[in-house]
Amino acid sequence: MDIPEIFGEDTFSLSEMQKYLPEDVFEKLQQTIQEGKVLDLSIADSIANAMLEWALARGATHYAHWFQPLNDCTAEKHESFIIPIENGKIKMDFSGKMLIKGEADASSFPNGGMCTTATARGYTVWDCNSYAFIKNKTLFIPTVLFSYNSQVLDKKIPLLKSIDALNKQSLRILKLLGKECKRVITTVGAEQEYFLVDSDKFNARTDLAITGRTLFGTPLIKGQQLEKNYYGILPTRVAKLMAEIDEKLWRLGILAKTKHCEVAPCQFEIAPIFSVVNIAVDHNQLLMQTLQDLAAKHNFVCLLHEKPFQGLNGSGKHNNWSICTDTGENLLEPTDTPAQNMQFLLFLIAIIQAVDVYHNLLRIACASASNDQRLGGQEAPPAIISIFLGDNLTKVLQAVASGKLSKQSSKQTLNIGVDILPEIAKDSIDRNRTSPFAFTGNKFEFRMLGSSASIADTNTYLNTAVADVLKEYADRLESADNLQAEILVLLKEKIAKHSKILYNGDNYTAAWREEANKRGFFNLTNTAEALEHFITEKNIALFARHSIFTEEELRAREKIFLEKYYHEVWIEAKIMLTIWNREIYPAVQRYLLQLSELVIKQKTLAVKMPNTEQKLLQITNRVENAIEIATELERLVKEGNLLQDRQKRANHCAKNILPQMEQLRKVVDTLEEQVDREYWPYPTYAEILNIF
């Protein structure tokens, strides 16, 4: 396989466009993509014709507008290229109108009340910043989704707006510093964790098949304690699957780079090289779909749930985020030139301020019922937002704030002047895997995201928050009489005010939770708590200032997030009750009957085996306990159904239903350890996870 030759062959990339498009059309489209300009509609037909020719040459028969509604998934409606002509014949056709605009029943997607059955019309419009691609004989066209009244109904429109906002404010800062560039972009590399389990074991468990996680199950005796899984040898079956995944991703133009065994048994990771954030969002969705599609070919199921197995590491998605110019300069790259470090420090402090002021938004961006189970343990950061910079960079900020700057590359001390800043050593920091938002040399790694989530919301919120701070800086500096002096005053002021978000220690400790509370940070351990902080005057104003969301669109998202949380918990609770009532309880009854018969025979034969009678009594007592807990769980679920207020219903799930589910699990897991394996109704952890 010639990887450079096949790379991107299923993608209508710039190189493919250049082959198929007239030169003037290609130049206009390229300018649109690279400079973020509005598409010239006069070239739409020419692009569509070229795209059709390219797609037909690769065996495509259909096209689909591919978009990302507010459910963390993707959606697609397939249309064939056939058009009827005279004499009962057909031709293959694809017009500029078909490329640019489509329709969907928008009321059938999560919309927070912005669309109803009576006002259902939605439009999909081509996002020419992301390349079309071919999969399963269909030409997929990345699009955005909005309503008849122009309300935003997807995750991509806000992301694209946030990219523009950050670009606009960054260019203002760079212009002040004398830097020439046309565009500033954010880049993202999303590390994706996942589990692989055998299809037959997956299908034999109702909880896994419906919810994506095990609602019952005794943890492995030999799990990850011996630390032999991380970076371990890839099992042969998995290696074959991964090779096929790599090839498929490369053909789609996705820069798949790293793959390895993760900490837990049957857990793995794949990571790409950085891409522009808009494309990175699309690529991560394609990557997750590819993992699941190809896993099925190899008799696996790919689990993207954040916590499929209790007692083992959960799966996350590390969002590696940076800011770059169109000239290739990384604005978060420390340099050996003090003048450029002024630029570095301005952007660094802006990010610190943004995270400090809007830390609750970042928590909300990764809030879900499934991710709540992962945060705070087994290599996942806690629910308290903080920033890790490392000791050396923290000392630099302290020196800037105090006016006592020292040159990092030598022992010589510099007397601070308005045009002098210190050198900042590269790669001078350790890795803090307990930190949710860690600087790692030339980027920030946000580690709270769940493995099943879209990365769109996180990057939308982060881009917007940073753009807002940069706007504040630009407004202030553009009116300064002495720019360098004002920058130093600004840096000192902001470091003093916002350094409370910095924490380089162990985020798992009780000491940090106490300290975070003193600093005024919330420990939002569940989604219901987090969403209480979503609709605030501060957040509404932030998104309005940069035209990301209207207040109506923001409130609609709150409704959607609350509904999603409630339904996820409700479904799990109902499935848990179903498994207990229809699978586990009948199985345990059959085992109790066997034990009872054995006790009777022992007494008849005058055989003394007290352990059997004691075991019978223990299991009977636990069954009675489980029945009592399950009855109360059923009552709590019904009580939740009666609540009309979404926030109260979510709080009820977090405070009442989930703790009751945990109680039922504890009792049933104890029963699993006592009941004969012959009677237990589904595969155990040992059978699911020791498959290689």
Side-chain angles (χ1 to χ4, degrees):
M1 177 173 56
D2 187 338
I3 297 174
E5 183 67 25
I6 68 164
F7 186 81
E9 71 175 17
D10 290 338
T11 303
F12 196 57
S13 60
L14 280 175
S15 61
E16 292 299 303
M17 293 178 194
Q18 194 166 20
K19 294 177 187 176
Y20 284 85
L21 289 173
E23 185 176 345
D24 61 327
V25 174
F26 172 74
E27 288 178 358
K28 288 182 180 179
L29 180 58
Q30 187 179 34
Q31 191 175 38
T32 298
I33 294 171
Q34 293 182 350
E35 298 181 17
K37 294 187 176 181
V38 177
L39 178 69
D40 182 351
L41 297 182
S42 67
I43 64 174
D45 279 330
S46 182
I47 296 170
N49 290 334
M51 206 177 279
L52 174 65
E53 182 183 355
W54 175 81
L56 292 177
R58 282 154 180 78
T61 58
H62 289 68
Y63 73 93
H65 276 202
W66 183 72
F67 54 98
Q68 299 178 32
L70 300 174
N71 57 10
D72 283 327
C73 301
T74 59
E76 57 199 54
K77 182 177 76 170
H78 297 241
E79 304 270 4
S80 71
F81 289 122
I82 65 170
I83 300 292
I85 54 177
E86 66 278 359
N87 300 323
K89 300 291 186 180
I90 60 108
K91 67 174 182 177
M92 306 298 268
D93 190 37
F94 188 52
S95 67
K97 182 180 179 180
M98 296 156 72
L99 165 65
I100 288 176
K101 185 178 177 182
E103 269 195 48
D105 177 1
S107 69
S108 297
F109 296 104
N111 56 68
M114 291 187 292
C115 286
T116 65
T117 304
T119 57
R121 191 185 298 277
Y123 297 110
T124 54
V125 172
W126 180 34
D127 171 17
C128 63
N129 298 285
S130 188
Y131 302 138
F133 59 91
I134 287 180
K135 189 171 70 133
N136 299 330
K137 295 188 176 182
T138 296
L139 172 67
F140 286 83
I141 301 158
T143 61
V144 299
L145 175 69
F146 55 89
S147 74
Y148 180 79
N149 295 316
S150 300
Q151 295 150 320
V152 176
L153 300 175
D154 75 339
K155 291 180 179 287
K156 287 297 290 295
I157 295 175
L159 177 69
L160 293 170
K161 288 181 176 181
S162 76
I163 294 169
D164 287 342
L166 186 60
N167 169 60
K168 178 181 178 181
Q169 304 306 329
S170 298
L171 288 177
R172 292 176 67 191
I173 297 292
L174 293 176
K175 183 179 180 181
L176 286 166
L177 298 177
K179 185 65 62 70
E180 294 292 331
C181 63
K182 294 181 179 179
R183 190 160 177 79
V184 173
I185 58 174
T186 49
T187 61
V188 167
E191 304 170 36
Q192 178 72 53
E193 295 174 343
Y194 61 97
F195 280 84
L196 292 174
V197 298
D198 274 332
S199 300
D200 59 342
K201 302 292 194 306
F202 172 86
N203 293 324
R205 291 203 53 136
T206 306
D207 50 2
L208 266 182
I210 296 179
T211 72
R213 77 169 176 120
T214 53
L215 299 172
F216 299 107
T218 303
L220 290 171
I221 295 173
K222 180 186 175 184
Q224 58 192 53
Q225 305 96 321
L226 299 179
E227 300 173 340
K228 291 185 176 181
N229 300 302
Y230 192 53
Y231 282 11
I233 298 172
L234 289 174
T236 302
R237 285 179 64 197
V238 175
K240 289 180 179 178
L241 168 61
M242 286 184 170
E244 192 169 339
I245 289 169
D246 279 339
E247 181 178 345
K248 180 64 174 178
L249 294 177
W250 291 333
R251 291 182 188 276
L252 286 168
I254 299 175
L255 295 161
K257 178 71 172 177
T258 303
K259 57 185 179 184
H260 61 82
C261 294
E262 258 298 336
V263 173
C266 301
Q267 187 185 32
F268 307 93
E269 180 180 299
I270 182 170
I273 299 173
F274 283 60
S275 299
V276 176
V277 63
N278 183 41
I279 293 177
V281 168
D282 287 357
H283 282 182
N284 185 252
Q285 290 287 358
L286 275 172
L287 186 151
M288 289 191 288
Q289 292 169 15
T290 301
L291 287 174
Q292 293 180 316
D293 290 346
L294 294 183
K297 284 182 59 178
H298 291 254
N299 296 317
F300 284 123
V301 172
C302 173
L303 300 178
L304 294 173
H305 193 285
E306 283 73 13
K307 195 72 171 179
F309 303 106
Q310 195 172 69
L312 297 175
N313 278 15
S315 292
K317 181 149 37 193
H318 302 172
N319 191 85
N320 294 281
W321 180 92
S322 193
I323 314 176
C324 300
T325 69
D326 60 345
T327 60
E329 180 183 4
N330 185 340
L331 299 178
L332 295 183
E333 182 80 64
T335 71
D336 296 329
T337 307
Q340 287 183 308
N341 278 337
M342 181 177 287
Q343 171 185 292
F344 166 74
L345 288 172
L346 265 175
F347 280 91
L348 179 68
I349 302 305
I351 294 166
I352 291 171
Q353 178 177 336
V355 175
D356 182 36
V357 175
Y358 296 105
H359 58 274
N360 287 337
L361 267 182
L362 289 182
R363 171 65 183 95
I364 291 164
C366 55
S368 69
S370 52
N371 204 32
D372 289 348
Q373 299 158 20
R374 165 184 165 264
L375 295 178
Q378 275 90 37
E379 298 261 330
I384 306 170
I385 299 289
S386 66
I387 295 177
F388 169 82
L389 288 185
D391 292 338
N392 289 342
L393 194 49
T394 301
K395 289 176 182 177
V396 169
L397 297 192
Q398 292 169 346
V400 172
S402 66
K404 298 177 181 178
L405 299 174
S406 61
K407 205 166 186 177
Q408 298 294 310
S409 59
S410 70
K411 296 181 180 180
Q412 178 185 0
T413 300
L414 296 178
N415 294 320
I416 179 63
V418 294
D419 58 350
I420 299 176
L421 284 173
E423 294 180 7
I424 299 174
K426 300 180 184 179
D427 298 324
S428 59
I429 56 176
D430 199 353
R431 296 188 69 187
N432 186 337
R433 296 180 63 81
T434 70
S435 176
F437 200 84
F439 187 70
T440 56
N442 60 2
K443 65 185 185 302
F444 279 96
E445 182 180 20
F446 185 49
R447 303 182 67 251
M448 287 180 72
L449 260 176
S451 53
S452 65
S454 164
I455 63 174
D457 286 345
T458 290
N459 289 291
T460 297
Y461 299 170
L462 183 56
N463 289 348
T464 306
V466 175
D468 196 60
V469 176
L470 291 175
K471 179 182 185 302
E472 176 194 338
Y473 291 6
D475 289 346
R476 176 171 168 177
L477 296 175
E478 283 172 350
S479 60
D481 294 328
N482 186 324
L483 180 63
Q484 291 189 2
E486 187 63 23
I487 287 175
L488 288 174
V489 171
L490 174 68
L491 292 176
K492 291 178 184 180
E493 174 188 315
K494 297 302 182 180
I495 292 169
K497 186 174 181 179
H498 298 290
S499 60
K500 64 181 183 295
I501 195 71
L502 304 178
Y503 184 69
N504 292 335
D506 186 346
N507 287 248
Y508 286 161
T509 62
W512 165 235
R513 290 192 293 273
E514 293 173 8
E515 175 62 25
N517 185 53
K518 292 177 183 177
R519 297 185 190 185
F521 299 134
F522 294 104
N523 184 13
L524 304 174
T525 58
N526 63 70
T527 296
E529 289 180 342
L531 288 173
E532 290 181 354
H533 300 269
F534 190 37
I535 304 299
T536 63
E537 290 184 9
K538 181 173 68 175
N539 291 344
I540 292 170
L542 167 70
F543 290 118
R545 271 194 300 275
H546 301 279
S547 302
I548 309 298
F549 296 118
T550 64
E551 183 174 344
E552 180 189 20
E553 290 167 343
L554 205 60
R555 291 188 181 278
R557 276 155 179 76
E558 180 195 41
K559 292 177 184 177
I560 292 167
F561 297 157
L562 287 169
E563 285 288 325
K564 179 185 176 185
Y565 177 74
Y566 166 70
H567 286 303
E568 285 180 347
V569 175
W570 183 87
I571 289 169
E572 287 190 351
K574 293 292 287 185
I575 293 300
M576 179 175 253
L577 288 168
T578 298
I579 294 172
W580 163 251
N581 289 322
R582 295 185 182 180
E583 297 180 25
I584 296 174
Y585 181 45
V588 176
Q589 280 184 313
R590 289 192 294 272
Y591 184 59
L592 285 175
L593 179 61
Q594 184 203 43
L595 282 181
S596 300
E597 292 173 350
L598 183 58
V599 169
I600 293 171
K601 287 180 180 179
Q602 288 172 355
K603 289 181 177 180
T604 302
L605 298 172
V607 177
K608 292 185 177 181
M609 295 186 67
N611 286 345
T612 305
E613 195 166 349
Q614 183 180 1
K615 187 175 184 179
L616 176 63
L617 181 61
Q618 287 177 343
I619 294 176
T620 301
N621 289 338
R622 289 196 169 103
V623 168
E624 291 175 353
N625 189 17
I627 291 172
E628 183 180 331
I629 295 170
T631 301
E632 175 63 9
L633 176 58
E634 194 160 7
R635 187 193 70 78
L636 290 170
V637 170
K638 290 178 180 178
E639 184 180 316
N641 289 339
L642 298 176
L643 296 173
Q644 298 300 312
D645 184 273
R646 291 180 177 85
Q647 185 64 60
K648 289 181 179 178
R649 199 163 57 178
N651 290 341
H652 178 69
C653 287
K655 295 176 182 178
N656 301 315
I657 293 178
L658 284 169
Q660 193 71 12
M661 290 172 63
E662 188 58 33
Q663 284 190 49
L664 182 57
R665 176 170 192 151
K666 286 180 180 178
V667 177
V668 171
D669 286 357
T670 304
L671 286 172
E672 181 184 319
E673 293 179 324
Q674 291 186 298
V675 173
D676 192 310
R677 178 65 192 93
E678 179 185 348
Y679 289 85
W680 203 248
Y682 51 69
T684 64
Y685 275 21
E687 292 163 334
I688 297 172
L689 294 167
N690 291 326
I691 60 176
F692 302 118

